Amino acid sequence: MTPFTVVGVAGSLRHDSYNRALLRAAAELAPDDVTFTIFDLDGVPLYDEDHDEYRGGDHMPDAVVALREAISAADAVVLACPEYNWGPSGVLKNAIDWASRPPAESPLRHKPVALIGCSGGPAGTGRAQLQTRQHLQSLKAYTLPEPDVQIGFAKDRFDDDLALVDDDVAQLLRDQLDALRRWAAALRNHG
């Protein structure tokens, strides 16, 4: 198969985040011909138009430039969406906001994107993913329609070291990566 590059972004800064663990599991489960890198949002500051060069700001922060370059260079993006108060985390929304500028030149524009997430309760971040889809739609990103990776009861899916121990979730992640690759190829061939 043709080499395929994916950049993964976790919308949680917490070291022991289940969503970060799920993203790491996806990277580990990727086929050998898939390069799956994880971009850490720790250094990305809050969006500030005063620093948005596309809006007349003085200097785009280095971490934002790196985020935009990582998205641009990848064939596809996987966003791990924690759910806070029935919506996506501010960390994830902030990253999307930085990557959205300017809209016609956003690295997310026409980029294939898959959403994953897990939570302690039964909902599995479905509400956060729905809102994230809306944000991505406004940027003209191509969000993978299925399979959904919305994992509930996260503590039962990982061991104490946050390694994935659920074979069904592992297979779902493999299936989603395969679907993302096919989705990206179809979009590339269509455009």
Side-chain angles (χ1 to χ4, degrees):
M1 293 196 106
T2 305
F4 188 65
T5 59
V6 176
V7 64
V9 178
S12 175
L13 300 179
R14 188 169 66 90
H15 181 267
D16 291 336
S17 161
Y18 286 120
N19 284 283
R20 280 179 166 226
L22 188 65
L23 190 62
R24 283 192 304 272
E28 291 166 6
L29 292 165
D32 290 341
D33 61 338
V34 173
T35 302
F36 194 124
T37 59
I38 296 176
F39 187 91
D40 193 344
L41 294 177
D42 272 347
V44 176
L46 291 174
Y47 178 78
D48 182 346
E49 200 169 283
D50 289 338
H51 299 295
D52 185 345
E53 291 175 357
Y54 301 108
R55 304 285 293 173
D58 58 4
H59 175 71
M60 192 76 79
D62 292 341
V64 172
V65 172
L67 171 65
R68 293 174 56 82
E69 288 174 350
I71 293 169
S72 292
D75 293 314
V77 177
V78 175
L79 298 178
C81 301
E83 186 168 297
Y84 300 162
N85 302 312
W86 292 16
S89 69
V91 171
L92 183 60
K93 178 62 167 70
N94 183 62
I96 292 170
D97 289 343
W98 273 118
S100 73
R101 311 304 307 160
E105 298 172 30
S106 166
L108 287 168
R109 184 178 177 86
H110 301 159
K111 183 71 69 173
V113 179
L115 302 177
I116 64 175
C118 57
S119 65
T125 75
R127 294 169 291 218
Q129 289 189 35
L130 180 61
Q131 290 178 33
T132 302
R133 282 179 186 279
Q134 292 173 323
H135 300 311
L136 293 168
Q137 183 179 3
S138 76
L139 304 176
K140 310 296 187 258
Y142 296 135
T143 309
L144 182 70
E146 62 180 346
D148 291 323
V149 178
Q150 301 172 355
I151 310 303
F153 306 110
K155 68 179 175 67
D156 298 335
R157 316 296 182 166
F158 297 91
D159 66 17
D160 292 341
D161 296 321
L162 293 179
L164 183 64
V165 294
D166 187 306
D167 292 338
D168 292 334
V169 173
Q171 187 58 51
L172 183 58
L173 289 170
R174 285 188 200 96
D175 291 346
Q176 189 191 57
L177 283 172
D178 181 55
L180 182 61
R181 176 184 235 158
R182 287 183 280 114
W183 177 249
L187 292 169
R188 190 170 41 250
N189 292 335
H190 180 69

